Amino acid sequence: MSQSLEDFARGKLAALEQRQLRRSLFETDRLEDAVAIRDGKRLLSFACNDYLNLSQHPDIKRAAIEATERYGVGSGASRLVTGNHPLFRELETRLARFKGTDDACVFGSGYLANLGIIPTLIGPDDLLIADELSHACILAGGTLTRGNVRIFRHNDVDHVAELLATHRADHPRALVATDGVFSMDGDLAPIAELSALCETHDAWFMTDDAHGIGVVGAGRGSSFVDGSKVPVPLQMGTLSKAIGTYGGYLCAAQPVIDFMRTRSRTFIYSTGLPPAAVAASIAALDLIEEQPEYAASPLAKARLFCELLELPRAESCIVPVILGDPARTLSASQMLEEEGYLVTAIRPPTVPEGTARLRFTFTAAHADEDIRRLAAIVKTRVMTS
Ligand SMILES: *Cc1c(COP(=O)(O)O)cnc(C)c1O
């Protein structure tokens, strides 16, 4: 009956397979200290965004278990119905304090946050300007605006200035959005320059700090690097990376947050996060605030790896080694797996054509000697081939 449907899917998969772009799931059992078990084989993971290894931390697990016992496993409804268990207030207050804003709004995930935030602020008459390497969910949020979306060359402030000078006046509202830390390249956005430029043109500025919170700027994120505090009126991020749990957030001024809670569709029409996730995020923020040296350690590990390979100094816990060709990248990833390291091959469409890469992520649990051994293998068997 659904022959055409199955034929469609099969045909698409075959074409992707031919280009080495078919994707598969591998069952992975993640343990403490960045260890992952695949096919019964013990691997040291350089592939996870759990930069502080908090997903396995005993105090944080305990917070999740206690919240489950007290409030149950699910929240039962949208937060605007009966899903707003008491832990949300505490988490939002904590996030706002951490980011220096009036308030915060927690969403189901980072992806859902961007799908909710962007079209709530920007409509069909308005303008969204986004970095070309922005995360997929910023661009998806842009599509939902049904407005005008302009893409700027990666980290090119002059290009943003040009787009604002040419188009800003034609639209009542404009939003400039970028990753704070780029998820596949690990570099930082020029946040201070973009913030100042947006101010000049009355464009709103949003950073997606999925890979910043917890690990850069003493854990406070990409607007706080080197002791600075760049004014960013919309600070979005996720709780599913360094925070180790799940959920997305926006930190902003009170009326902006109140408006999100009233109109953002992914907030209104999706169930509130489970109590365990919210409690675990609160416990994780406690730990990050109490132990800034611990929060700084994954970045130091990434920098050691870069030094060993003579790569540019890391600005975040993410270090790409760009190989270009998907097949070559896959075989490098397989070779590293045989050596006991889990390193993901990232291919298009996650990254632009011709830039397939190994993406290394560093965590507090990585020992320097493991980083040295990994770097030696990459140097002799990946970068030279
Ligand atoms: C991972 C990521 C997201 C999505 O967050 P989830 O909580 O995993 O949905 C959004 N933006 C960026 C930049 C990311 O890296």
Side-chain angles (χ1 to χ4, degrees):
M1 220 164 66
S2 53
Q3 195 57 45
S4 65
L5 171 62
E6 288 177 31
D7 289 348
F8 166 75
R10 223 175 269 122
K12 283 284 188 191
L13 284 170
L16 288 165
E17 179 121 36
Q18 216 168 35
R19 296 164 57 210
Q20 304 276 345
L21 295 179
R22 181 172 176 158
R23 301 191 181 202
S24 322
L25 290 167
F26 298 99
E27 210 165 277
T28 309
D29 185 6
R30 294 177 54 250
L31 309 178
E32 280 174 35
D33 297 333
V35 170
I37 312 282
R38 264 192 190 174
D39 283 336
K41 190 170 173 188
R42 195 180 172 88
L43 302 169
L44 187 59
S45 172
F46 286 86
C48 197
N49 302 317
D50 187 12
Y51 303 119
L52 298 171
N53 315 96
L54 297 186
S55 73
Q56 306 286 341
H57 194 287
D59 294 351
I60 295 170
K61 284 184 186 171
R62 196 171 317 110
I65 292 164
E66 282 169 10
T68 301
E69 283 175 350
R70 170 74 179 76
Y71 298 106
V73 290
S75 69
S78 162
R79 293 183 55 193
L80 288 163
V81 183
T82 55
N84 197 40
H85 51 77
L87 297 167
F88 277 115
R89 183 66 276 172
E90 190 182 343
L91 177 57
E92 290 175 337
T93 305
R94 292 292 301 276
L95 283 168
R97 193 177 78 201
F98 201 47
K99 293 286 190 176
T101 60
D102 294 345
D103 203 353
C105 175
V106 167
F107 293 79
S109 71
Y111 201 107
L112 286 173
N114 275 333
L115 291 193
I117 297 161
I118 296 170
T120 302
L121 297 173
I122 292 296
D125 297 333
D126 302 326
L127 175 65
L128 172 70
I129 300 183
D131 189 288
E132 63 183 343
L133 298 185
S134 295
H135 192 266
C137 60
I138 293 184
L139 303 173
T143 310
L144 292 177
T145 64
R146 282 170 280 163
N148 302 273
V149 179
R150 307 258 169 198
I151 302 297
F152 64 91
R153 289 184 296 274
H154 177 52
N155 277 352
D156 187 338
V157 179
D158 293 336
H159 193 194
V160 183
E162 197 182 299
L163 290 171
L164 283 168
T166 314
H167 302 289
R168 174 68 188 94
D170 300 334
H171 306 282
R173 286 167 292 275
L175 172 68
V176 174
T178 180
D179 289 17
V181 174
F182 284 86
S183 56
M184 296 299 137
D185 293 78
D187 53 342
L188 298 175
I191 294 179
E193 291 89 333
L194 289 174
S195 168
L197 184 64
C198 287
E199 193 62 41
T200 318
H201 288 270
D202 185 29
W204 305 331
F205 184 38
M206 180 171 87
T207 54
D208 175 338
D209 217 20
H211 295 277
I213 188 170
V215 284
V216 302
R220 296 177 75 196
S222 56
S223 349
F224 300 89
V225 171
D226 298 329
S228 67
K229 184 179 183 299
V230 180
V232 178
L234 298 158
Q235 298 182 59
M236 175 271 161
T238 177
L239 303 164
S240 22
K241 286 165 185 164
I243 308 297
T245 67
Y246 201 63
Y249 66 83
L250 174 68
C251 293
Q254 197 62 59
V256 177
I257 296 299
D258 291 343
F259 182 48
M260 284 299 149
R261 292 184 182 135
T262 305
R263 294 303 274 177
S264 171
R265 299 176 69 85
T266 56
F267 182 87
I268 302 173
Y269 298 112
S270 190
T271 300
L273 281 171
V278 180
S281 293
I282 297 167
L285 288 174
D286 282 342
L287 191 141
I288 291 163
E289 285 186 284
E290 282 161 16
Q291 300 182 36
E293 339 68 58
Y294 184 72
S297 65
L299 179 54
K301 308 272 178 196
R303 286 185 171 156
L304 169 63
F305 182 75
C306 289
E307 264 167 44
L308 294 167
L309 291 180
E310 293 164 44
L311 295 169
R313 182 176 141 102
E315 296 181 312
S316 72
C317 314
I318 303 161
V319 178
V321 171
I322 297 177
L323 301 176
D325 174 50
R328 184 179 165 214
T329 309
L330 279 175
S331 71
S333 167
Q334 274 150 16
M335 181 278 289
L336 290 173
E337 189 164 327
E338 279 151 27
E339 293 292 335
Y341 299 107
L342 181 55
V343 180
T344 324
I346 306 280
R347 291 165 287 164
T350 308
V351 291
E353 285 295 335
T355 71
R357 67 198 63 191
L358 293 172
R359 175 179 181 266
F360 297 85
T361 57
F362 293 85
T363 80
H366 288 133
D368 287 357
E369 69 211 61
D370 283 311
I371 295 172
R372 287 180 198 284
R373 180 164 177 266
L374 176 64
I377 296 171
V378 172
K379 191 168 206 161
T380 52
R381 296 180 58 191
V382 176
M383 290 167 85
T384 50
S385 63

